[in-house]
Amino acid sequence: MCGIAGWVSYDPAEPVQRQVIDAMTRTMACRGPDDHGVWLDDRVALGHRRLAVIDPEGGSQPMTFSDGDRTVAALTYSGEVFNHRELREELTRLGHRFRTSSDTEVVLHAYLEWGEDFTERLNGMYAFALWEPRTRELLLVRDRLGIKPLYYFPLRDGLLFGSEPKAIFAHPAARPAVNSEGMAELLSFTKTPGHAVYSGMHELRPGHTLRVRQEGLRLNRYWQVEAREHTDDLDTTVGRIRDLLDDIIARQLISDVPLCTLLSGGLDSSAITALAARHLERTGDGPVRSFALDFAAHAENFQADEWRGTPDTPYGHLLARHVGADHTVVTLDPPALMDRAHREAVMRARDLPFDLGDGDTSLYLLFKAVRHQSTVALSGESADELFGGYRWIHHPDSVAAPTFPWLAPPFGTGISGPGSGPGEALIDRGLIQKIDLADYRAQRYREALAEVPHLPGVSGRERRMRELCYLHLTRFLPWMLDRKDRASMAVGLEVRVPFCDHRLVDYVFNTPWSMKTFDGREKSLLRAATRDLLPTEIADRVKAPYPTTKDPRYLEALRAELDRVTRDPDNPVLALLDRPTLTTAVTEGLSAGNGLRTSAELVLALDFWLRSYDVRLDF
C-alpha cells in the first residue's frame, strides 16, 4: 500500500513547485517506507510514497507511459488490483506490452485502452490520480467501497489531493479550519460520504471518479449497490457465497512479501484464516501465519457483560490449532496503551480526533508488532455490515428508531437525546445546541434513507432491514475502514479486507433478511458457508466487539491525563467542554459506572488535535 499526493495549477503565475510537492509527499512517509518519487509537468506535480508488495523491483512511481518523446499519461497509485493478472492477459492480447509485473502498470494500460470506463473492470482496493499532459486533465479514482482514502481541496485555479489531509495541509494554500457543520460531522458518530470535516476539503466518495479540468470539476459515480431480485434458494445462496469467498481469498493471498491474517477467534477472522490455510496448503505455501491481540491480566480482569460473554484469546488458539496456523498473540499492558508517544502517533495518523482511545492505540500497537514479521494482513471488516452481525440490527427498538441503529436506544448513550453518541458526555451543552448536532444527525439520516435502492412491492420488515443494511455499508463501514487504514498505514502495513469484494457485497446485499437470519441468529449465511472449516465452538460463537482493556490501571491513567488537561487554563479544548461534568470525571474517576470513559478519550484526542494541528474553529 502507498500514499499519494498532488497539485494541479492552471494559473501560469502560480506554477507547481518541487519543494512543495516534496513536502506534501513527505507527510506520508509511514504509508510508503520503501521508496518515494515525484513527477512534474508544466501544470501538475505528482508525489508518491511506496510500500512495495507486488513487483518490489519494477513498480516504482509515479509511473508514466510515453509515445516516443511524448508522455501520454502519468499515474500515482495506492492500493492493489486483485484481478491484475487477468487484465494483463487481456491487454496483452490487445497489443499492450509491459515492462514490469506490477499491478500499477496494468492500471495505467487499462486506462489507455478503455478510458474512464476502465473502472468497471477493476477488482480491488485503490485510490489513484492519472494525469494526461495532452489535455491537461487529472482523473481521481477511488475504489467501490472506499477501502483506500482520497481527499481533495479545490483551489481558485486548480486542486490539491492526497491520501490523507496532512498531505494537503503541507501546501501553503490549505490551512486546517472547521466550521459548525464540520464539528457536527466530527461528533455525529456516522460518516457522511464525501464529507472531510475540514472546511474546503472533500473526501472522494467511494465508487466515484473526479475529472479535473481548467473549466472545473466533474464528479461521476461508476458504482453503487443496486436492488436486484434474489432468485437463488437457500442452499444455492450458501454455495454461491462460499464460491465467492474461495475466489476472493485466493486472489488476496497473492503477494511478493510476507502475508498473514488477523485472527481474533470470532467468526469473521476465523473464516478468513481457515480459507487462507486451506488455499496455502493446496499451493504448498503454508502454513498460514496469524496474529491476535490480548491485554495483560485480561483473563484475571475479564467479566462477562451484555456485549461480550467470553474473551477472544482461547478461541484464537483453538482455530489456530484446528487449521495448523503459525499463531502469535501480541499482549499489551496499560503503560503501552497510555504511552503518550503511542497515543499521539495514532492521533497524528488519523488527522482527526476520535473517541476510541485504547481501541485505536491497541490496534496501532498490534499492527506495529505484525509489521516486524509481515507486510500484508487479511482482516474481517465488512462481515458484520454485510451479513448482519451487530447487536443493534437485531434489537426491535433500534430497528424501529428513526435514526442510525447504532445510535438508537438502548445503544445510543449521549446527552443530546435519542440518536446521540457516547462521546458527547463531556462536551459543552451549549456547543451541542449551537452546532445543532441532533438536527444534523437527523438530516444525514434522511439523506441516507433517500438513497436506499428498493425493489417494487417490498414492504414491512424486509424493506426496513434493507435500509439498515444500506446504512451500515455506506455510513458505518467507511468509518471502520478509515480507522483500519490509518492504523495500519501508520506502521507501513497493508491490510486487505476480503469481505469488501464488490461481487460479494452486490450478492449478499440483495439476499432477503429472512435468508440472512434463516437459523434465527446473526450472520446465518456466513456461518453456513464456512461451518465445515471451523470448530463447532467458533462456528456457534456469539458476536463479540473489538476488545478494550478492563485493567483498572488504564482507567486511572486516563483520569490522570484528563486532570492534566483541566489544570492548564489556557488549553483551547476547555472552551469545548462541560466544566461540571469534567470535574466529576476527574474527581470521581472513570470506572464507577458513570459512562464517561469514551468521552474522556475524545477530550484527550481533541486536546492533541487543537494543539498539534493549529485548527481554526469557525463557529
Side-chain angles (χ1 to χ4, degrees), residues 27-33 51 148 164 166 342 344-350 360 363-365 367-368 371 482-495:
T27 64
M28 296 179 297
C30 60
R31 297 186 73 94
L51 175 64
K148 303 313 298 178
E164 298 177 354
K166 63 173 64 70
H342 293 159
E344 292 187 355
V346 173
M347 290 184 279
R348 192 172 292 107
R350 296 204 72 171
D360 271 347
L363 192 65
Y364 165 79
L365 292 173
F367 288 160
K368 190 174 184 179
R371 185 61 176 88
D482 186 68
R483 170 180 177 253
K484 182 61 65 73
D485 174 83
R486 299 306 183 85
S488 60
M489 287 285 91
V491 297
L493 177 71
E494 175 181 303
V495 173

Side-chain angles (χ1 to χ4, degrees), residues 55-316:
D55 189 8
E57 298 299 323
S60 296
Q61 296 187 50
M63 185 176 286
T64 60
F65 179 84
S66 299
D67 181 7
D69 295 333
R70 181 174 65 92
T71 299
V72 176
L75 173 69
T76 183
Y77 166 81
S78 168
E80 303 289 348
V81 169
F82 299 121
N83 63 334
H84 68 95
R85 291 178 173 176
E86 297 96 316
L87 290 174
R88 180 186 295 269
E89 292 175 359
E90 184 177 2
L91 288 164
T92 299
R93 290 194 297 270
L94 291 170
H96 292 256
R97 297 294 176 263
F98 293 89
R99 299 178 289 106
T100 75
S101 59
S102 70
D103 59 331
T104 304
E105 191 177 13
V106 172
V107 170
L108 183 56
H109 281 261
Y111 178 76
L112 295 172
E113 178 64 35
W114 295 302
E116 198 166 330
D117 290 341
F118 80 133
T119 53
E120 299 176 4
R121 298 172 177 264
L122 304 181
N123 178 307
M125 52 182 196
Y126 46 80
F128 55 86
L130 200 151
W131 174 257
E132 293 183 82
R134 182 181 62 83
T135 60
R136 292 181 174 176
E137 293 181 3
L138 181 79
L139 182 69
L140 299 180
V141 181
R142 194 174 182 205
D143 65 68
R144 293 171 177 83
L145 272 295
I147 304 168
K148 303 313 298 178
L150 185 56
Y151 296 84
Y152 64 96
F153 190 98
L155 301 173
R156 179 184 57 81
D157 203 7
L159 178 134
L160 307 171
F161 70 86
S163 294
E164 298 177 354
K166 63 173 64 70
I168 292 172
F169 290 139
H171 191 285
R175 286 291 176 265
V178 176
N179 59 22
S180 59
E181 182 181 288
M183 182 57 69
E185 174 71 17
L186 180 63
L187 296 176
S188 67
F189 203 61
T190 183
K191 192 166 175 59
T192 305
H195 207 303
V197 176
Y198 291 108
S199 301
M201 187 181 295
H202 308 271
E203 188 174 21
L204 185 59
R205 293 187 63 155
H208 281 67
T209 63
L210 182 71
R211 174 73 67 173
V212 182
R213 299 186 175 98
Q214 187 165 6
E215 298 77 19
L217 310 180
R218 178 176 62 83
L219 188 66
N220 176 63
R221 184 181 63 205
Y222 70 88
W223 182 86
Q224 64 175 339
V225 288
E226 297 177 350
R228 300 186 183 90
E229 185 178 1
H230 188 80
T231 58
D232 292 343
D233 62 20
L234 178 60
D235 288 343
T236 303
T237 298
V238 171
R240 174 61 175 157
I241 290 171
R242 175 59 174 270
D243 290 343
L244 282 169
L245 288 173
D246 282 333
D247 180 70
I248 292 165
I249 294 297
R251 291 177 184 274
Q252 297 199 17
L253 287 174
I254 296 173
S255 173
D256 294 332
V257 294
L259 179 145
C260 68
T261 68
L262 303 176
L263 174 60
S264 69
L267 175 63
D268 313 337
S269 64
S270 295
I272 288 175
T273 302
L275 287 163
R278 174 171 288 196
H279 180 81
L280 292 173
E281 181 182 9
R282 288 172 178 168
T283 60
D285 297 319
V288 64
R289 301 202 66 176
S290 58
F291 290 85
L293 169 70
D294 199 4
F295 299 107
H298 189 59
E300 295 89 330
N301 292 309
F302 180 81
Q303 293 181 347
D305 56 30
E306 61 176 339
W307 287 97
R308 178 180 294 276
T310 54
D312 285 338
T313 299
Y315 291 91

Side-chain angles (χ1 to χ4, degrees), residues 354-602:
F354 292 100
D355 55 19
L356 287 184
D358 70 305
D360 271 347
T361 309
S362 63
L363 192 65
Y364 165 79
L365 292 173
L366 170 64
F367 288 160
K368 190 174 184 179
V370 171
R371 185 61 176 88
H372 289 304
Q373 302 181 60
S374 291
T375 308
V376 177
L378 272 60
S379 184
E381 273 70 23
S382 185
D384 287 313
E385 291 81 1
L386 192 55
F387 291 98
Y390 293 113
R391 290 184 65 236
W392 48 71
I393 205 172
H394 299 275
H395 196 288
D397 291 345
S398 56
V399 168
T403 187
F404 299 102
W406 53 91
L407 294 175
F411 304 99
T413 57
I415 64 173
S416 59
S420 56
E424 298 169 29
L426 292 172
I427 302 299
D428 179 67
R429 276 61 166 169
L431 171 62
I432 289 176
Q433 292 177 352
K434 184 177 182 180
I435 65 176
D436 207 352
L437 181 56
D439 184 69
Y440 181 84
R441 282 201 185 101
Q443 183 179 345
R444 299 288 85 83
Y445 175 71
R446 290 191 296 268
E447 291 171 356
L449 282 190
E451 296 175 5
V452 180
H454 287 290
L455 290 171
V458 177
S459 60
R461 182 169 177 79
E462 281 293 341
R463 181 181 177 89
R464 178 56 175 165
M465 299 316 291
R466 177 182 287 269
E467 290 175 345
L468 297 190
C469 289
Y470 184 87
L471 295 181
H472 279 86
L473 285 172
T474 62
R475 267 61 176 184
F476 194 81
L477 176 62
W479 185 80
M480 299 295 289
L481 292 174
D482 186 68
R483 170 180 177 253
K484 182 61 65 73
D485 174 83
R486 299 306 183 85
S488 60
M489 287 285 91
V491 297
L493 177 71
E494 175 181 303
V495 173
R496 299 175 179 178
V497 280
F499 291 116
C500 285
D501 186 291
H502 71 276
R503 298 169 298 160
L504 183 68
V505 172
D506 272 331
Y507 187 76
V508 177
F509 176 74
N510 283 294
T511 58
W513 184 252
S514 58
M515 190 175 285
K516 290 180 180 177
T517 55
F518 73 87
D519 61 358
R521 298 196 57 188
E522 80 283 359
K523 293 190 281 196
S524 305
L525 290 175
L526 178 59
R527 206 178 300 277
T530 58
R531 179 176 286 278
D532 64 303
L533 299 173
L534 306 174
T536 301
E537 298 92 328
I538 292 176
D540 290 333
R541 191 183 179 206
V542 175
K543 159 72 182 174
Y546 183 86
T548 57
T549 181
K550 305 296 184 183
D551 195 316
R553 293 176 297 170
Y554 178 80
L555 294 177
E556 174 53 30
L558 187 63
R559 187 206 63 79
E561 281 292 288
L562 200 61
D563 185 41
R564 174 188 60 81
V565 170
T566 65
R567 290 180 183 278
D568 178 4
D570 298 322
N571 194 317
V573 76
L574 294 178
L576 306 179
L577 305 182
D578 182 76
R579 296 299 186 90
T581 313
L582 182 63
T583 300
T584 298
V586 171
T587 57
E588 298 183 8
L590 305 170
S591 58
N594 54 16
L596 296 176
R597 171 176 175 170
T598 299
S599 196
E601 300 280 18
L602 176 60

